[in-house]
């Protein structure tokens, strides 16, 4: 399901949000008509159903939908919300676990501290925020969405076996 929808965004965070929304919408459509989802193996569509045992019933599917809605809400907050670092850390810890999140935030803070102490930080005097792209902590390719989309090579559409799709 994810492979069929891949390559429609420019950033990892937007891709995660897009994929979570797409999966949620797919499951919700089946749920709205009182059916569990059906996903067939594209290599053997007449013989192999990936969802023959799961979700199993509408109650299990409903629990999964609740989890997907929670994921979408939290990723939307990360992508579009105006969260400060502690809020972002709390959301990411909830989603991905405390240990991986702490490692990422520790590294970010160390790099930011080095940039500030080396007097190469770029602070907006009006808002007090730091222009991370201008500071050099991220590559120039992510400095703007326009630049990022120019520097990103999207994966070509393909079959499940690696061959190109005929368009």
């Amino acid at each position: 399901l994810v492979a069929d929808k891949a390559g429609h965004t420019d950033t990892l965070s937007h891709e995660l949000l897009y994929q979570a929304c797409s999966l949620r919408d797919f499951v919700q459509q089946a749920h709205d008509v009182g059916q569990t989802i059906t996903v067939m193996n594209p290599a053997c569509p007449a013989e192999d159903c990936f969802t023959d045992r799961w979700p199993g019933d509408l109650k299990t599917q409903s629990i999964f939908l609740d989890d997907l809605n929670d994921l979408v809400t939290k990723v939307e907050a990360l992508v579009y919300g105006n969260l400060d670092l502690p809020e972002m850390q709390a959301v990411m810890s909830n989603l991905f676990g405390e240990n991986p999140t702490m490692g990422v935030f520790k590294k970010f803070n160390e790099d930011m501290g080095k940039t500030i102490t080396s007097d190469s930080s770029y602070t907006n005097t009006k808002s007090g925020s730091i222009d991370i792209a201008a500071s050099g902590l991220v590559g120039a390719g992510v400095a703007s969405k326009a630049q990022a989309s120019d520097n990103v090579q999207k994966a070509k559409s393909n079959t499940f076996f690696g061959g190109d799709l005929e368009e």
Side-chain angles (χ1 to χ4, degrees):
L1 295 172
V2 171
D4 285 341
K5 300 279 186 183
H8 294 281
T9 63
D10 293 327
T11 67
L12 184 58
S13 58
H14 284 96
E15 187 67 18
L16 175 60
L17 180 57
Y18 179 81
Q19 294 297 338
C21 288
S22 295
L23 183 57
R24 178 199 55 196
D25 294 348
F26 173 76
V27 176
Q28 188 68 58
Q29 285 176 351
H31 201 73
D32 286 347
V33 295
Q35 297 177 349
T36 57
I37 58 171
T38 301
V39 180
M40 302 304 293
N41 181 345
C44 306
E47 302 168 12
D48 190 12
C49 179
F50 286 146
T51 54
D52 59 345
R53 296 183 189 151
W54 185 93
D57 58 36
L58 290 173
K59 182 178 179 186
T60 302
Q61 184 167 276
S62 180
I63 293 168
F64 183 58
L65 267 173
D66 290 343
D67 289 343
L68 282 172
N69 283 319
D70 184 57
L71 175 65
V72 167
T73 299
K74 289 175 180 169
V75 175
E76 282 176 337
L78 289 170
V79 172
Y80 300 116
N82 196 11
L83 305 178
D84 60 24
L85 282 177
E87 291 169 322
M88 289 175 68
Q89 184 175 342
V91 171
M92 291 177 68
S93 290
N94 181 268
L95 288 173
F96 307 114
E98 189 173 324
N99 286 339
T101 300
M102 292 303 292
V104 169
F105 275 79
K106 181 179 178 189
K107 176 83 169 102
F108 174 82
N109 287 328
E110 287 171 357
D111 290 350
M112 184 61 71
K114 288 176 188 173
T115 299
I116 292 169
T117 58
S118 70
D119 202 29
S120 60
S121 68
Y122 296 85
T123 305
N124 181 324
T125 54
K126 290 182 181 179
S127 69
S129 64
I130 296 174
D131 183 346
I132 297 171
S135 72
L137 289 176
V138 296
V142 296
S144 73
K145 188 173 181 177
Q147 284 178 318
S149 63
D150 291 341
N151 293 328
V152 174
Q153 181 179 358
K154 295 189 181 199
K156 295 186 328 185
S157 297
N158 63 75
T159 67
F160 287 92
F161 304 103
D164 291 338
L165 286 176
E166 295 178 20
E167 295 191 31

